[in-house]
Amino acid sequence: MRNSLTRATLWSAAATERAALADDLAGLHEAQWAQQSLCGRWVVEEVVAHLTAAASVGALRWFGSVLGARFDFDLHNARRLAEYRGATPAETLERFQRVVNSTTSAPGPTAAWLGEVVVHAQDIRRPLGFARTPAVETVTEVARFYSRRDFTVAGRSTIEGLRLEATDGPFTTGAGPIVSGTTLALTMVMAGRGAYCDDLTGPGVSTLRDRCSGNGHRTTSN
């Protein structure tokens, strides 16, 4: 099934999610900025800087950065993160607020870059205990994209041989042992966030949990 939302609508959804995250971040204290996120070794402030970089580096500069890092995406991401992280958390937040409405991105489908915002926002919110669920229509587009291919995350590989069914929206995919849960939880697990397996039910959950514990978090966007 093709994405049902236009490119302009996907970018508008990304702006909405960035703005909501910026609002959540506005009241953080220093210890919260240093809280471990769900994204590998990055703390909250580093994830925010990564999102700023993702919305600031266009195709040509992205290619130059990747070539300069000799296709070492960890090095490439670390360099761009350092570039867009501020001297203080307040400055890091200010830089992020400037790109809320950005449509700049690395090469690739717009749904992938919307997914970056949706997933990384939850990487931040869950450890901090913040509850916000994006619109089902927004997350459904990301879930469909992740289920079809391995791009910024190994979504298709993670769910191979399983049947995913959203309990709050129209998203379904695959065949095999069933995994049920909210569209957001299914999306986060496709992105390799094993913590969200706790939000899922069905005979396929144990398979997903094993895969999430072994595949790490691949982030190649900026």
Side-chain angles (χ1 to χ4, degrees):
M1 181 182 297
R2 299 181 55 139
N3 288 344
S4 58
L5 302 183
T6 66
R7 187 167 182 265
T9 302
L10 292 172
W11 279 127
S12 178
T16 296
E17 296 312 310
R18 289 192 194 113
L21 178 59
D23 287 344
D24 286 343
L25 296 168
L28 296 191
H29 53 68
E30 186 173 351
Q32 289 175 308
W33 281 101
Q35 169 73 44
Q36 185 70 40
S37 76
L38 294 185
C39 187
R41 65 185 180 276
W42 288 348
V43 301
V44 167
E45 186 178 1
E46 290 170 323
V47 177
V48 176
H50 173 77
L51 284 171
T52 303
S56 303
V57 178
L60 289 178
R61 190 157 173 246
W62 182 87
F63 278 121
S65 178
V66 169
L67 287 171
R70 298 186 178 183
F71 294 93
D72 180 340
F73 286 101
D74 288 337
L75 176 59
H76 154 74
N77 281 323
R79 286 174 173 174
R80 301 289 69 79
L81 184 156
E83 179 182 1
Y84 287 94
R85 186 176 185 173
T88 64
E91 185 177 355
T92 299
L93 175 56
E94 182 182 359
R95 291 179 178 185
F96 178 62
Q97 289 168 329
R98 291 176 193 160
V99 301
V100 161
N101 295 308
S102 173
T103 57
T104 298
S105 73
T110 306
W113 314 132
L114 173 60
E116 285 279 293
V117 181
V118 169
V119 169
H120 285 317
Q122 299 307 124
D123 284 341
I124 290 169
R125 289 189 178 108
R126 183 138 177 156
L128 293 176
F130 293 170
R132 182 181 187 278
T133 300
V136 170
E137 293 82 2
T138 294
V139 188
T140 296
E141 296 302 305
V142 179
R144 287 172 177 163
F145 178 78
Y146 284 175
S147 70
R148 290 197 302 266
R149 61 190 292 190
D150 294 343
F151 187 56
T152 52
V153 299
R156 185 180 65 180
S157 297
T158 298
I159 64 171
E160 185 176 1
L162 299 172
R163 170 71 176 175
L164 272 58
E165 297 181 352
T167 56
D168 62 344
F171 175 69
T172 59
T173 191
I178 293 176
V179 178
S180 300
T182 65
T183 312
L184 182 61
L186 295 171
T187 298
M188 293 300 291
V189 170
M190 283 190 280
R193 276 48 173 185
Y196 277 83
C197 288
D198 294 341
D199 298 353
L200 303 176
T201 60
V205 173
S206 60
T207 298
L208 277 181
R209 196 182 301 277
D210 289 344
R211 290 175 181 175
C212 286
S213 66
N215 67 12
H217 306 314
R218 180 157 64 99
T219 307
T220 61
S221 65
N222 58 63

